[in-house]
Amino acid sequence: MIPEEVKKKIDRLTDEINYHNYRYYMLDNPVISDFEFDKLVKELQSLEKKYPRFVREDSPSRRVGGAVSEKFGQVKHGAPMLSLENGYSREEVIEFDKKIKRFLGLKEGEKIEYECELKFDGLAIELVYKNGIFTQGSTRGDGITGEDVTANLKTINTIPLKLQKPVPYIEIRGEVLMTKKSFRELNAERLKEGLALFANPRNAASGSIRQLDPSITARRNLIMYAYGVGKLTDAGDVKTQHELMEMLKSLGINVNKEIKTVKDIEGAVKFFEDEEKNRESLPVEIDGVVIKVNDLKLQERLGEISKSPRWAIAYKFFPKQEVTSIEDIEVSVGRTGILTPVAHLKPARIGGVIVKRATLHNQDEIDKKGVNIGDSVLVERSGDVIPEVVKVMSKGPHKNPFRLPSKCPCCGSEVVIDGAFHRCMNELSCPCQIKGELVHFASKRAMDIEGLGEKIVERLVDLGLIKNIADIYYLKKGDLRDLEGFGEKSEENLFKSIEKSKNISYDRFIYALGIRHVGEFVASLLARYFGDIEGIERADIGDLTSKFGIGEEIAKSIFNFFKLNSNAEVIKRLFRAGVSPYKTQAKAGGAALGGESFIFTGSLENFTRDEAETIVKEKGGTVEKTVKKSLGYVVAGKDPGSKYEKAKKMGLKIIDEDEFKKIINYKSS
Ligand SMILES: [Zn+2]
């Protein structure tokens, strides 16, 4: 190809990809498949590699974030980025309205129209577009000068690299945010890796933008909402704040849809009250609403006072942080043996709810914050997340941070440090762990031992009558008679259901063993393919993953479970006691789903995510990661996330768990 042709081709591909990005991220309405899209991107990348001189400033390949910046340069904002005056009560907001009227010389009864928006709890940024091309992005900094984070902002998909119109010059102000869901996932991942946790989505977003390596920013799932403009060459016939937002939208800029024009200050108060109720259900954190005079001419007349515009106020929610003290630290042991420190707090009202407990996560987090009993601490509650101790305000009687015990508080055995966690390894006889295992083993979908519920299990374990699941079958008549509330009749009934449970299918038996990550589906898969326990014991990780399509993590867990002698011993004792599972009929598997594609969002009741995906793949279907037009089914579980909203908007087929079960022809018994 001659250079002119190459340049033309690169130009065309760049425009085309930017257009599809816009359709996908802004309009939620892609017109080509991910596959076709990727093909375009690859074609462009290979051309750009050969002809770097033709790479355009708005090339989508710049989103990847290759170069690592040494440190951030300084950016002087075209117009200062002001901060808003805050109000925490209705009275303050009414007073704000009165002040404006006085300033403008209006009468008490006259009304001012306001534009109301959500106040996002994120990191304020400014984006500069020249001739429609994104050229520079910066943080707010001190309002006059910010940091140049252009490379990092380019990795955010909701920030267009090119506007829909080649506006000569415009500075767009917005807020970069992390969704609550991404925040939880990020912290869960960091906890696993033993890294310091982010206190809230705002800190996480801010930390992600101020990364020296843009490829880290790219992985953080950030979004941006615009709320205004700085300097611009031509606002056209835009007369109000509302029209300004509409103009930004028409340029392809992401503007949150919860925006409302109200005819007076009472309307704005009402907006605040509605959003306060709505707050917890939003995918991102907000800390209030912003009320702006809608008329831009009036805005100009009002001007600013000591670094804040006179025409806007942030009406903020009651703070979700509060200072209280730690009365005690309790260490609990879960079914998996992990020791979790929980702070018992002097009850405090935080964001309208009484909070008595806050998680301290693990030893690293305790050390980082230096927390101990008697300290005065700042506690934060955000959304549906468990309240958390943010930092120590003043130390109590203990100079050093709290130490997790070296012996299990439940069984007294040695505690082992396992990554970021302290773990009791006494899996088979630590009462805290065994109680959970026993309840699971006896549950309806497992061995279905009626009458062996949580309370009975607790007492049997506390009395030392049961130490592991096999012991259930070695209970003798009379053992239970002395238990509180346990008569001859109830004892007889329990023995009957224990006896009945001996005759059970292999799938349920394997499920009942409580192998980590093995839910009902994987259990039935194992039962069908191996027939019996001996077969599974002989399989190695490779067999499990390659032949049966079981995920690596599940396979490892199965392998390790059967490798452990003590587990094999318990299974032998079960068989010796007369438990004799029968083989499950092999069902016709194969390509029942014939290439149908699925996506999952929210949690399912009967499957783990891994399992559900394994089922789909095993049956010849495919699992997608992103929502798109070509999807066959969107399976929505409990608390579905943004994928659900997106799918709904795109009019895709959304099914619930029951329908999913029908499609995969899943039998629960
Ligand atoms: Zn223990």
Side-chain angles (χ1 to χ4, degrees), residues 54-217:
F54 296 141
V55 178
R56 270 174 34 181
E57 192 55 36
D58 62 337
S59 164
S61 55
R62 302 223 162 180
R63 281 206 199 276
V64 191
V68 176
S69 37
E70 285 290 296
K71 61 175 195 270
F72 303 110
Q74 304 257 301
V75 176
K76 200 165 172 343
H77 300 300
M81 286 180 80
L82 305 172
S83 55
L84 294 177
E85 186 198 329
N86 289 327
Y88 287 94
S89 67
R90 184 194 160 84
E91 288 69 38
E92 285 172 86
V93 172
I94 300 285
E95 183 51 37
F96 157 77
D97 179 60
K98 281 186 184 160
K99 258 200 302 202
I100 286 178
K101 285 178 190 162
R102 279 199 298 272
F103 190 92
L104 295 171
L106 298 179
K107 286 191 211 86
E108 206 48 21
E110 284 182 88
K111 285 177 176 172
I112 291 180
E113 195 174 73
Y114 291 102
E115 170 87 343
C116 304
E117 308 164 4
L118 301 181
K119 185 172 188 313
F120 295 106
D121 198 9
L123 178 75
I125 50 118
E126 180 171 80
L127 311 168
V128 176
Y129 288 84
K130 285 181 189 158
N131 298 317
I133 306 293
F134 176 44
T135 52
Q136 190 170 58
S138 54
T139 60
R140 181 180 175 280
D142 61 3
I144 305 293
T145 314
E147 283 170 323
D148 185 343
V149 286
T150 313
N152 293 348
L153 291 174
K154 276 188 177 171
T155 68
I156 299 175
N157 285 317
T158 43
I159 296 179
L161 300 178
K162 185 183 179 183
L163 298 176
Q164 293 300 301
K165 286 171 213 157
V167 184
Y169 184 88
I170 185 168
E171 296 167 358
I172 293 165
R173 270 94 189 262
E175 198 87 4
V176 169
L177 306 162
M178 185 178 280
T179 62
K180 293 177 194 167
K181 187 165 173 280
S182 297
F183 168 70
R184 279 198 298 270
E185 286 168 358
L186 176 64
N187 259 358
E189 206 179 285
R190 292 176 72 86
L191 190 64
K192 250 197 229 163
E193 288 165 9
L195 298 169
L197 302 181
F198 288 111
N200 50 46
R202 181 188 59 246
N203 289 359
S206 168
S208 304
I209 283 299
R210 303 189 68 262
Q211 280 290 335
L212 289 175
D213 179 358
S215 72
I216 296 176
T217 316

Side-chain angles (χ1 to χ4, degrees), residues 333 337 339 407-415 424-427 429-433:
V333 182
L339 274 62
K407 298 247 172 6
C408 173
C410 197
C411 71
S413 70
E414 210 67 40
V415 165
C424 166
M425 298 304 274
N426 191 11
E427 218 174 321
S429 32
C430 174
C432 285
Q433 295 182 57

